[in-house]
Amino acid sequence: MTMVRAGVVPGRRAMFYGIAGLLVTSGIVAATVGVFGLNRLFTGILLGVAAGVGVLFLLFARDGVVLTDQSIVRRTPWGAATIDWNRVVAGRFALDEKSRWSLALDLNGGDEQHGELVLLSIPPVQRPIANAYDMRKREQVNEIRSILRRKQIPVILLPEIAEALTQHWRLAPPTR
């Protein structure tokens, strides 16, 4: 069974996660100082930062999209929704409103905002792979394209994106 993790956390939800992390951090600092006194401020800060980072990690790790051969699962920390592959009209690799490259699925029916599900949002590729982030994003693009190809879902790709992916990341252009 093939499973691909993707997904973009919307800005509003990311801000909520950040606020939750700050609240946990400040709560633990306040509780530590309240119980043990001001002499344990540094200990409270260490414990609070560790707990706050842990909360952030858990929230961001739970939020995402999982593509499997059977369905697409859109997960948030408080639930999950399954989307059938027969709802996917096409894949689209284009520029988003922030001049980043966005790989999204166009959906028919359902209640998703604007009928799309954003899988990736990456900065434009302008050079060969230079670091682990580039390598991971290249792998994700390749895995998503493979599963879409197996599901026979057409992918609309802007020519400049196709050229950059071929030239810099050595990803072959789509065959259709």
Side-chain angles (χ1 to χ4, degrees), residues 1-5 65-73 85 139-140 142-148 150-151:
M1 178 174 100
T2 304
M3 185 173 78
V4 179
R5 264 189 60 66
V65 177
V66 178
L67 306 170
T68 65
D69 289 328
Q70 291 76 31
S71 63
I72 302 164
V73 180
W85 278 106
E139 288 173 6
Q140 277 187 308
N142 207 21
E143 290 170 347
I144 292 169
R145 284 178 50 188
S146 294
I147 200 165
L148 293 177
R150 276 197 317 277
K151 292 292 182 182

Side-chain angles (χ1 to χ4, degrees), residues 113-173:
Q113 184 180 15
H114 306 298
E116 75 173 11
L117 180 62
V118 179
L119 301 177
L120 286 177
S121 180
I122 60 174
V125 174
Q126 299 173 338
R127 65 185 188 284
I129 295 172
N131 52 40
Y133 176 82
D134 288 349
M135 179 62 84
R136 177 64 190 135
K137 291 306 169 186
R138 179 190 183 278
E139 288 173 6
Q140 277 187 308
V141 168
N142 207 21
E143 290 170 347
I144 292 169
R145 284 178 50 188
S146 294
I147 200 165
L148 293 177
R149 191 174 298 123
R150 276 197 317 277
K151 292 292 182 182
Q152 298 179 345
I153 296 171
V155 178
I156 302 162
L157 194 64
L158 289 177
E160 59 267 19
I161 293 176
E163 182 180 326
L165 289 175
T166 302
Q167 178 183 0
H168 300 302
W169 281 6
R170 304 287 187 244
L171 289 175

Side-chain angles (χ1 to χ4, degrees), residues 9-175:
V9 178
R12 178 171 271 153
R13 202 172 322 143
M15 184 178 68
F16 168 74
Y17 295 167
I19 291 170
L22 284 173
L23 288 175
V24 167
T25 300
S26 59
I28 289 179
V29 170
T32 303
V33 169
V35 171
F36 299 106
L38 199 54
N39 291 336
R40 292 293 175 206
L41 177 65
F42 185 72
T43 303
I45 290 172
L46 281 175
L47 291 173
V49 167
V53 168
V55 165
L56 283 174
F57 177 77
L58 289 174
L59 289 172
F60 277 103
R62 177 74 178 127
D63 198 313
V65 177
V66 178
L67 306 170
T68 65
D69 289 328
Q70 291 76 31
S71 63
I72 302 164
V73 180
R74 173 74 181 108
R75 297 184 331 177
T76 60
W78 44 87
T82 301
I83 301 167
D84 290 328
W85 278 106
N86 60 6
R87 289 196 44 217
V88 178
V89 177
R92 184 175 17 92
F93 212 153
L95 289 171
D96 66 10
E97 64 276 356
K98 297 176 186 170
S99 297
R100 293 173 60 90
W101 291 358
S102 176
L103 179 54
L105 298 177
D106 293 327
L107 306 172
N108 60 10
D111 58 352
E112 279 76 17
Q113 184 180 15
H114 306 298
E116 75 173 11
L117 180 62
V118 179
L119 301 177
L120 286 177
S121 180
I122 60 174
V125 174
Q126 299 173 338
R127 65 185 188 284
I129 295 172
N131 52 40
Y133 176 82
D134 288 349
M135 179 62 84
R136 177 64 190 135
K137 291 306 169 186
R138 179 190 183 278
E139 288 173 6
Q140 277 187 308
V141 168
N142 207 21
E143 290 170 347
I144 292 169
R145 284 178 50 188
S146 294
I147 200 165
L148 293 177
R149 191 174 298 123
R150 276 197 317 277
K151 292 292 182 182
Q152 298 179 345
I153 296 171
V155 178
I156 302 162
L157 194 64
L158 289 177
E160 59 267 19
I161 293 176
E163 182 180 326
L165 289 175
T166 302
Q167 178 183 0
H168 300 302
W169 281 6
R170 304 287 187 244
L171 289 175
T175 56

